[in-house]
Amino acid sequence: MKGRIPEELVDDIIQHNDIIDVVNEYVPLKPAGSNYRALCPFHNEKTPSFMVSREKQLYKCFGCGQGGGVVQFIMEKENLDFVEAVHHLARRVGIHIPEKNITQEEKQRLENNRKMTEINREAANFFYRCLTSRSNKGFEYLKSRGWKKKTIQQFGIGFAPDQWDALLKHLTSKGYETQLAHQAGLITKGKTKDTYYDRFRKRLMFPIFNSRGEIVGFGGRVIDTEDQPKYLNSPETSLFNKRKLLYGLNLARVHVRESGSILVTEGYTDVISLHEKGYGNAVATLGTSLTADHVHLLSRYTKLAILCFDSDSAGSSAVLRSIDLFAKTDLKIKILTLPEGTDPDQYIRRKGQRAFESLITEAPTSVEYQINLIRKKHSLATVEGKIHFAREVTQILSKLKSAVEREAYAARLAEEMGISKTALLSEVKSSGFRLGKQKRDDKWNQKNGQTRSINSMQPIKDESSYLHAERQLLKWMIRNMEALDNIENQIDEAYFFDESHKMLFKIMIEQQDLLKSSPEDVRFFEGFEKDFQKVLQTEIGELSKERIIKHFRISYKKKQLTEELKFWMEKQKEIETQEDIETDEKEDEMLKIGVEVRRINIELQKISLQKGGGDHGK
């Protein structure tokens, strides 16, 4: 049996197999509006009823009912299981799949997931028919929004009737097991034994697709305002995880090439309205804040994400949290801010599409957005206001990876504040650029895989231990200029927390041949004379190189862990005060923080027990 294929690789294979090209190899397709038509390859017919959509990457026969994506087509046409069909498509486009053996348990899981996508598709068809076959409040709501019939079909919008078991009866009549419907989150257990009822009732239904075009869950919106909650999602299943899904991505990924970006909005209706207005690159989260998984998902399809959130405090908080996530990737972001209480559809209706285009074009980068928020807090007309403004913006600039970008922003801001660029860049350095993540790979922490990014951490008050250790190492280097040949294999400039010490280390390494004859010549350290004098005054006695380096490593590790601990404690306070996240999400985050705090405390205890791990290193 062929082995399990990573989900990302499956997505890549599907993306390289356009369904029009694949189906056309079996039956000749002819254009029919925005879709393609042919005689069905699965049953005999004289009039073509087999339709294929390039935009949706789906096929559907209105004669025999067959339908699905490109993998499903190959499964049906070639009589293959899911894994075999993916291998078939991979060979077609020359993508190599690493071979691994698949367990019986894994095979069962894949088959179960296939059944759940199938029952979800049947449920979506049921909801769609309920919406379009009779008069109902759901249809009236869509009519009030002005959405076209084509849009309703494109997104598969439906309506769950106001009945306790309408969907359950339909599914069982089609031969689906009650247990499977429950597992897929379509029905809920009743209070009495063996009783079930529909999870969604009297709601507008939005099928939620994964990036492969498979229905993995649903979102239900109330029609009557007195009903609660306003939005109800499917429960978590092996297919549905709202932190890893983006509504509309199955359609948006087709439009990314022409737009060059993905527009991230706050809800289903935003996405649908924007698609109607021609913005096919719009997606939305499923009632959650953006997560690292969302950002990773976006990065597979685009190099630029445009965040379209409200301008209220909740929207600003959501953007700031998102900026931290994007900072860990190469994905660029811009922030499109709408007037408070206005969604994209309302804005376009009132101001026009040209005005919305201007908002997209003029949307600030993440750095500009943060600076604008700080600018609103402080008056540059006063000295005190300038000082506070400078301190906050330099914290942002210190996190930038590009020196050119830092220089450009510093020049513009310095002119705005009426100070020198040199002074502002000096403040940038002292505000924490040493914590930049590009050089924070801890060589002594390899066993933990990778070090945690701590860009946003602030220095702790008790800095004597690590400063003393850094000066001791530099003093030893001054004494032993002849023996520095292999020091770079053990120590790197990135492991100095103090910016001045980092520069002294760099100068000694680069100028060691010249310094051998006069290692204490202060002229080599122009601009860092005071720091160099402190190093010269540091006592190291007869400590060996090994002891010096050991103490340096321990002090570095202790400082790093202390910074991490402060970061997580601040994060805990932030989450405790947040009101815009769900209780279960908040509990999950608090649990993760607790695990991290416990890990850090254990490591700090281990360090305190090491000989020389105190503050003296003697």
Side-chain angles (χ1 to χ4, degrees):
M1 172 64 67
K2 289 177 176 174
R4 180 180 183 273
I5 308 168
E7 189 172 338
E8 286 189 18
L9 184 54
V10 172
D11 288 344
D12 193 37
I13 291 166
I14 291 172
Q15 218 175 348
H16 282 80
N17 281 275
D18 188 284
I19 195 166
I20 301 298
D21 298 333
V22 173
V23 173
N24 209 39
E25 293 174 2
Y26 292 85
V27 289
L29 294 170
K30 293 180 180 179
S34 60
N35 298 319
Y36 291 80
R37 179 186 285 123
L39 292 170
C40 181
F42 302 113
H43 82 286
N44 293 323
E45 62 177 4
K46 294 181 180 180
T47 304
S49 61
F50 182 81
M51 302 294 291
V52 187
S53 167
R54 170 166 274 144
E55 185 177 32
K56 293 184 180 180
Q57 290 293 298
L58 295 172
Y59 70 91
K60 173 71 176 178
C61 177
F62 293 93
C64 67
Q66 286 278 10
V70 68
V71 177
Q72 184 71 26
F73 180 83
I74 293 299
M75 288 172 66
E76 298 292 342
K77 194 62 187 165
E78 300 290 344
N79 194 24
L80 303 173
D81 64 25
F82 178 82
V83 176
E84 290 169 338
V86 173
H87 274 269
H88 176 97
L89 290 169
R91 287 193 296 271
R92 181 180 177 274
V93 293
I95 294 178
H96 173 68
I97 299 176
E99 291 291 338
K100 289 182 181 178
N101 291 329
I102 187 170
T103 63
Q104 191 63 33
E105 183 181 355
E106 182 65 20
K107 182 182 177 184
Q108 181 61 41
R109 189 189 72 82
L110 291 170
E111 177 61 18
N112 195 57
N113 283 350
R114 187 193 66 76
K115 287 180 178 179
M116 279 204 290
T117 58
E118 187 180 297
I119 198 173
N120 281 336
R121 188 167 67 244
E122 183 58 44
N125 288 334
F126 171 78
F127 293 138
Y128 179 77
R129 286 195 297 273
C130 287
L131 177 76
T132 56
S133 63
R134 62 181 75 91
S135 177
N136 56 73
K137 288 186 175 182
F139 189 80
E140 292 302 316
Y141 173 83
L142 295 181
K143 195 175 176 181
S144 71
R145 295 288 308 217
W147 290 344
K148 301 170 186 173
K149 184 178 179 181
K150 179 184 175 184
T151 303
I152 295 170
Q153 290 176 332
Q154 186 181 39
F155 284 90
I157 303 170
F159 180 68
D162 188 14
Q163 299 174 33
W164 283 98
D165 58 357
L167 175 63
L168 176 58
K169 284 179 178 177
H170 172 78
L171 293 174
T172 53
S173 72
K174 291 288 183 178
Y176 291 101
E177 295 178 359
T178 302
Q179 188 57 40
L180 179 64
H182 180 252
Q183 193 176 358
L186 296 169
I187 60 175
T188 302
K189 269 189 175 182
K191 292 182 179 179
T192 57
K193 188 179 179 183
D194 297 329
T195 59
Y196 294 87
Y197 58 90
D198 292 353
R199 178 178 177 84
F200 301 101
R201 302 181 305 282
K202 204 171 65 167
R203 287 178 180 270
L204 204 60
M205 297 301 296
F206 299 88
I208 298 167
F209 298 80
N210 61 18
S211 56
R212 299 197 291 270
E214 298 167 335
I215 299 175
V216 295
F218 292 89
R221 185 194 190 281
V222 297
I223 303 298
D224 297 326
T225 53
E226 64 268 18
D227 292 334
Q228 291 297 327
K230 183 177 180 180
Y231 286 99
L232 179 66
N233 284 328
S234 294
E236 297 278 311
T237 69
S238 58
L239 293 177
F240 185 77
N241 184 336
K242 59 188 177 183
R243 299 179 193 178
K244 296 182 178 182
L245 293 164
L246 289 168
Y247 183 74
L249 184 61
N250 59 307
L251 299 175
R253 66 188 183 95
V254 181
H255 297 272
V256 171
R257 289 176 186 172
E258 61 181 73
S259 65
S261 63
I262 290 181
L263 191 58
V264 183
T265 64
E266 294 189 285
Y268 310 137
T269 55
D270 290 340
V271 172
I272 296 167
S273 296
L274 284 169
H275 274 251
E276 274 221 323
K277 299 293 190 297
Y279 298 96
N281 60 329
V283 303
T285 57
L286 305 178
T288 69
S289 301
L290 273 172
T291 66
D293 288 315
H294 288 142
V295 173
H296 178 65
L297 188 58
L298 288 168
S299 68
R300 283 160 51 190
Y301 297 98
T302 188
K303 296 292 183 185
L304 172 64
I306 302 171
L307 307 186
C308 181
F309 292 160
D310 284 341
S311 59
D312 59 15
S313 57
S316 297
S317 298
V319 169
L320 291 174
R321 287 195 301 273
S322 301
I323 287 172
D324 289 337
L325 294 174
F326 282 101
K328 299 171 186 176
T329 72
D330 293 326
L331 193 58
K332 300 295 182 184
I333 58 168
K334 296 174 75 176
I335 292 90
L336 188 161
T337 305
L338 294 168
E340 190 168 343
T342 305
D343 63 35
D345 184 49
Q346 291 170 332
Y347 186 86
I348 293 172
R349 286 174 185 268
R350 294 172 188 172
K351 302 286 186 178
Q353 196 153 336
R354 185 174 294 181
F356 189 72
E357 282 288 346
S358 296
L359 286 182
I360 293 176
T361 304
E362 298 166 10
T365 65
S366 60
V367 175
E368 291 166 340
Y369 177 83
Q370 293 176 90
I371 291 173
N372 289 340
L373 289 181
I374 296 169
R375 191 179 281 115
K376 291 176 183 177
K377 291 163 54 181
H378 306 294
S379 170
L380 298 184
T382 66
V383 173
E384 186 180 10
K386 286 182 179 180
I387 292 171
H388 288 299
F389 178 75
R391 283 177 179 168
E392 291 191 44
V393 296
T394 52
Q395 289 178 15
I396 295 167
L397 300 189
S398 70
K399 298 174 187 178
L400 296 177
K401 299 175 187 177
S402 167
V404 174
E405 204 175 352
R406 281 196 304 276
E407 288 262 348
Y409 279 114
R412 196 182 77 186
L413 290 167
E415 183 178 356
E416 182 182 353
M417 288 185 286
I419 63 174
S420 71
K421 184 179 79 171
T422 304
L424 192 61
L425 284 172
S426 176
E427 186 69 20
V428 170
K429 281 187 178 182
S430 64
S431 72
F433 178 58
R434 61 185 175 274
L435 298 177
K437 77 174 182 180
Q438 71 271 22
K439 286 192 174 182
R440 303 308 295 167
D441 295 332
D442 186 0
K443 292 180 182 178
W444 304 296
N445 210 20
Q446 288 291 328
K447 63 181 180 179
N448 291 324
Q450 61 182 31
T451 54
R452 199 171 293 277
S453 174
I454 53 173
N455 291 20
S456 58
M457 300 178 193
Q458 300 299 315
I460 57 174
K461 292 181 180 179
D462 181 15
E463 300 177 331
S464 58
S465 177
Y466 82 88
L467 288 175
H468 184 68
E470 288 182 1
R471 289 178 187 140
Q472 280 189 323
L473 176 65
L474 294 171
K475 180 64 175 288
W476 183 89
M477 290 173 65
I478 292 169
R479 278 191 183 180
N480 299 274
M481 279 293 167
E482 300 288 339
L484 297 189
D485 291 339
N486 69 340
I487 194 76
E488 284 183 283
N489 295 330
Q490 299 172 278
I491 302 295
D492 184 274
E493 66 181 82
Y495 302 121
F496 286 85
F497 280 93
D498 186 272
E499 199 68 20
S500 300
H501 291 170
K502 184 184 294 186
M503 289 304 299
L504 292 177
F505 176 84
K506 193 173 181 180
I507 292 168
M508 289 182 200
I509 294 298
E510 292 176 352
Q511 305 293 333
Q512 58 182 292
D513 289 338
L514 295 174
L515 284 167
K516 284 177 183 176
S517 58
S518 52
E520 296 186 11
D521 191 339
V522 75
R523 290 175 298 177
F524 284 100
F525 306 95
E526 186 177 354
F528 299 91
E529 294 88 348
K530 289 184 179 179
D531 300 287
F532 185 65
Q533 287 299 329
K534 288 181 181 179
V535 170
L536 291 179
Q537 294 165 11
T538 301
E539 294 291 332
I540 60 172
E542 297 301 319
L543 289 175
S544 65
K545 173 185 174 183
E546 289 73 21
R547 187 64 181 273
I548 290 283
I549 290 177
K550 178 184 177 183
H551 177 47
F552 179 87
R553 288 176 174 174
I554 290 173
S555 298
Y556 171 82
K557 184 64 178 176
K558 183 178 178 182
K559 166 71 172 172
Q560 185 188 47
L561 288 170
T562 308
E563 296 279 32
E564 279 196 67
L565 184 60
K566 182 175 180 180
F567 170 80
W568 288 115
M569 297 307 291
E570 290 293 329
K571 190 74 174 174
Q572 180 176 318
K573 289 180 183 178
E574 178 187 330
I575 291 173
E576 285 174 344
T577 57
Q578 283 178 14
E579 297 179 355
D580 59 337
I581 59 176
E582 297 177 5
T583 303
D584 60 341
E585 186 177 354
K586 182 178 285 191
E587 289 175 351
D588 287 348
E589 290 298 322
M590 294 294 283
L591 182 61
K592 290 176 185 176
I593 291 172
V595 171
E596 291 297 332
V597 169
R598 176 177 169 77
R599 174 187 64 79
I600 293 168
N601 281 326
I602 290 173
E603 290 191 48
L604 283 170
Q605 288 173 7
K606 288 179 181 178
I607 288 174
S608 68
L609 295 173
Q610 294 183 48
K611 187 178 180 182
D615 289 346
H616 307 292
K618 294 181 181 178

